[in-house]
Amino acid sequence: IAVLLSSLWLAAAPCQSESVEIPPLLVDACFFQQDAPQVARGFQTLDGQWQVADGVVSVGPAPGPKLVLQDTSMSVGRVGTELFFTDKLGGNIGLLVKVSEAGVGADIWNGYEVSLYADRQVLHLARHRQNYEPIGFFPCDVPVGQWIVLVVEMTETTLRVFVDGKLVHSYEDTEHPLA
């Protein structure tokens, strides 16, 4: 499986509508080809062999590779990206939101995992507090060979996840909400 990420956008205010049609506000211009471990300006790579080609960021299989946006502590707002699965051989691609204390390793970070599995056709939500706490797997169309838009809207305690403009799941963390 290969992970391809073409754009990422952030909006600092929560969305009031069902629409997720927002223009890329940030990051596309930050992706650039270089030999240094920092794949994109303002991002830190944690594990994995990351590459940039033709404006697309990619990483091969690895146990927990992360591309972490630095200098932001956004916990209320909206974040989105376009994802591409090359096959259904397994593995997940997604967004990590409300991230803090990130390190090398699949579960070395605090925040929420919002990921898609093409082989299982599901959206997966999990909370991480230097561990792995599964929230659930939710049925979702995850096509192979085409770009998929993944958007997460966040409030202090809720996550609303959209895949290709459709609300797939809404989750409220009443037990251990992360900022």
Side-chain angles (χ1 to χ4, degrees), residues 4-5 81-85 93-94 116 146-150:
L4 304 175
L5 174 71
T81 191
E82 295 173 301
L83 307 170
F84 190 98
F85 282 90
I93 307 172
L116 300 174
Q146 69 185 56
W147 290 102
I148 306 163
V149 177
L150 176 63

Side-chain angles (χ1 to χ4, degrees), residues 38-167:
Q38 184 182 21
V39 171
R41 202 172 305 120
F43 286 82
Q44 176 184 16
T45 58
L46 296 169
D47 209 8
Q49 297 296 312
W50 294 87
Q51 302 175 47
V52 178
D54 299 323
V56 175
V57 177
S58 64
V59 64
K66 295 182 274 303
L67 182 64
V68 179
L69 180 62
Q70 298 176 317
D71 299 325
T72 184
S73 59
M74 186 177 79
S75 63
V76 174
R78 178 174 42 192
V79 61
T81 191
E82 295 173 301
L83 307 170
F84 190 98
F85 282 90
T86 58
D87 55 50
K88 283 190 177 183
L89 295 179
N92 63 339
I93 307 172
L95 290 168
L96 309 179
V97 296
K98 301 190 179 197
V99 175
S100 66
E101 301 179 39
V104 174
D107 301 321
I108 309 302
W109 60 288
N110 298 329
Y112 297 97
E113 173 182 348
V114 181
S115 58
L116 300 174
Y117 285 81
D119 60 335
R120 296 159 60 177
Q121 294 293 294
V122 294
L123 162 72
H124 176 53
L125 294 180
R127 179 178 45 225
H128 290 257
R129 296 181 295 156
Q130 302 298 312
N131 63 358
Y132 169 74
E133 302 171 20
I135 293 168
F137 292 89
F138 308 97
C140 176
D141 289 332
V142 183
V144 171
Q146 69 185 56
W147 290 102
I148 306 163
V149 177
L150 176 63
V151 174
V152 181
E153 294 178 353
M154 304 170 287
T155 69
E156 290 83 1
T157 60
T158 62
L159 301 176
R160 290 173 23 121
V161 182
F162 296 83
V163 177
D164 283 337
K166 298 176 189 166
L167 178 63

